[in-house]
Amino acid sequence: MWCAATLRRARVPAGAGPDRLGRVAGILLLCLLACLVRAVLLLAPPPELLPSAAGAWEEIHRGTTTREWLQDPLLPWLQYQVNGYWGGSLVISILALPLFAAWGAKLWVLRLTTFVFCALAVAALYVLLERFHGRRAAWLGGLLFVLAPPGYALLGACAWGTHIESHAVALALAALCLRPVPRERSALTEFALGLAMGFALYFGRSLALTVIVLLYLELWQQRSLGFDRRLAARCAGLLLGATPLALLWLERGAAGLALEAPLPLPAPGGGWRMLASLGRLLWWDIPRAFYFGGAGDERGLWLGRILLAAFSGAALLTAWTGARAGAALPGRARVAGRGGVSAIQHCGTGNRSAALKGGAPSPARRGGAPPRGHPFHN
């Protein structure tokens, strides 16, 4: 978002269109760089990635599941899922099947599955930034992702199939759904999108928020909801993609799908404690999670605090820029633009909303191509 908000001049000129060969080359090169960084961590693992490190039991669970599947599974496949809300754990075990068959049951072999999600995240991020804000922003955003803080890089190298992997799935869904100019999709494409969204709901419960946001943005772009064969195809794909979640519910019941540690509601009179917890989260926990210099190292903590301030400033700048664009939109669009969700959408249109004043429908909504200089052109 920082790249998109600060490099608006880097957009591809109107009418020029992105160079497909250059896009493919950029994606491949960034994916190669990301995989090289991941390979260094796997070939020369720091102590945080050794089998004796905290959290290693998660990977042992995935590896043991894969090994048992190759030999003689004792339980139905869904019974091997680590809990009721992270189906990604089984995805890791499935991806490891051919790797274990080729190179044996080893921890570094299991961690090779993380290359898939690493490349997926980089490619989706590049496509999103280039689509909305140009190739320079895509390159800088991709490089910032490749050269992630140590804490994120170390977690990304662990084959858990949970938090870091869900980021890749969320970026891929956004790349599939979000476009500056809404265009007609075939029923088959709508079915495939629904299939991806439904499977994302099974992959991780937290991805439900991503699916809801993307559906909201698509509905806001279309301004109308009519039941036709494309919507029916999307619903059918979503139901089919969420089939593993339904099977898990039938097998474990509603209690088996509940969160282990849901967020507690604030107790009466506990406002000061909540503020204190929030202050500790922002001043200590998140900067320490960047893992600069090790936990407890003041130099590392201050570097993490600076990075957190930069990220927070980028997010606020993006939301503020989008809110300004939303304020210029008429009626129903203004109401949607006041929400934090549609701020992302307005930032993607280049924030040149003067052409929308007066409420005239855009050429894209009438079915034609938007003219040069129109805010939906890029």
Side-chain angles (χ1 to χ4, degrees):
M1 290 191 300
W2 176 77
C3 294
T6 57
L7 297 174
R8 291 165 55 189
R9 292 184 179 179
R11 291 192 301 271
V12 177
D19 178 17
R20 183 169 297 181
L21 183 60
R23 174 192 297 173
V24 173
I27 291 175
L28 290 178
L29 185 55
L30 284 174
C31 288
L32 179 61
L33 290 175
C35 291
L36 284 176
V37 174
R38 185 65 51 86
V40 169
L41 291 174
L42 297 188
L43 295 177
E48 292 80 9
L49 289 179
L50 296 180
S52 59
W57 70 270
E58 294 255 7
E59 294 180 291
I60 294 173
H61 175 274
R62 278 62 161 176
T64 303
T65 298
T66 305
R67 186 174 182 180
E68 191 167 318
W69 283 348
L70 287 174
Q71 296 174 352
D72 187 17
L74 302 177
L75 300 171
W77 279 40
L78 286 177
Q79 286 290 335
Y80 289 96
Q81 187 170 313
V82 65
N83 50 40
Y85 49 90
W86 279 120
S89 63
L90 286 188
V91 175
I92 290 291
S93 298
I94 292 172
L95 291 176
L97 281 171
L99 302 177
F100 273 30
W103 294 303
K106 301 179 180 64
L107 183 59
W108 69 269
V109 176
L110 178 69
R111 286 173 174 169
L112 291 179
T113 58
T114 62
F115 283 61
V116 176
F117 297 96
C118 181
L120 178 64
V122 171
L125 181 62
Y126 186 96
V127 169
L128 275 172
L129 287 176
E130 188 197 48
R131 183 180 294 166
F132 284 93
H133 299 282
R135 185 158 298 163
R136 189 184 304 173
W139 267 101
L140 287 177
L143 287 174
L144 286 175
F145 190 90
V146 170
L147 303 176
Y152 194 88
L154 290 173
L155 284 178
C158 296
W160 291 353
T162 52
H163 305 283
I164 303 298
E165 291 82 0
S166 68
H167 297 170
V169 177
L171 282 170
L173 285 177
L176 290 173
C177 295
L178 294 183
R179 291 185 177 275
V181 181
R183 64 181 186 181
E184 295 287 336
R185 298 191 184 104
S186 65
L188 183 60
T189 303
E190 291 286 352
F191 178 80
L193 284 176
L195 195 68
M197 287 183 171
F199 186 76
L201 296 177
Y202 167 72
F203 190 95
R205 200 73 59 80
S206 61
L207 288 169
L209 181 59
T210 302
V211 172
I212 292 173
V213 168
L214 292 175
L215 291 176
Y216 168 79
L217 288 177
E218 285 190 295
L219 180 61
W220 182 85
Q221 269 192 331
Q222 294 175 3
R223 309 289 178 87
S224 63
L225 181 62
F227 191 84
D228 54 8
R229 61 188 184 90
R230 290 189 298 272
L231 181 59
R234 174 76 71 93
C235 295
L238 197 148
L239 292 175
L240 183 61
T243 299
L245 190 62
L247 294 177
L248 196 65
W249 181 80
L250 292 175
E251 191 170 284
R252 299 189 179 185
L257 301 182
L259 300 178
E260 291 180 358
L263 293 176
L265 295 176
W272 289 112
R273 272 181 297 178
M274 291 181 62
L275 289 177
S277 299
L278 180 62
R280 176 178 176 82
L281 179 71
L282 297 176
W283 191 249
W284 292 100
D285 296 337
I286 296 181
R288 187 177 298 174
F290 288 122
Y291 217 74
F292 288 113
D297 185 280
E298 276 298 319
R299 182 180 177 185
L301 281 177
W302 275 107
L303 188 56
R305 288 163 184 162
I306 293 173
L307 194 59
L308 176 61
F311 286 162
S312 303
L316 291 175
L317 176 62
T318 307
W320 177 73
T321 310
R324 289 184 60 190
L329 295 176
R332 180 178 173 186
R334 186 186 303 118
V335 176
R338 286 173 182 168
V341 173
S342 59
I344 303 173
Q345 180 69 14
H346 292 311
C347 289
T349 64
N351 303 319
R352 295 196 300 262
S353 57
L356 290 182
K357 288 183 178 179
S362 68
R365 291 294 304 147
R366 294 193 297 264
R372 195 173 287 192
H374 191 274
F376 282 109
H377 193 287
N378 286 339

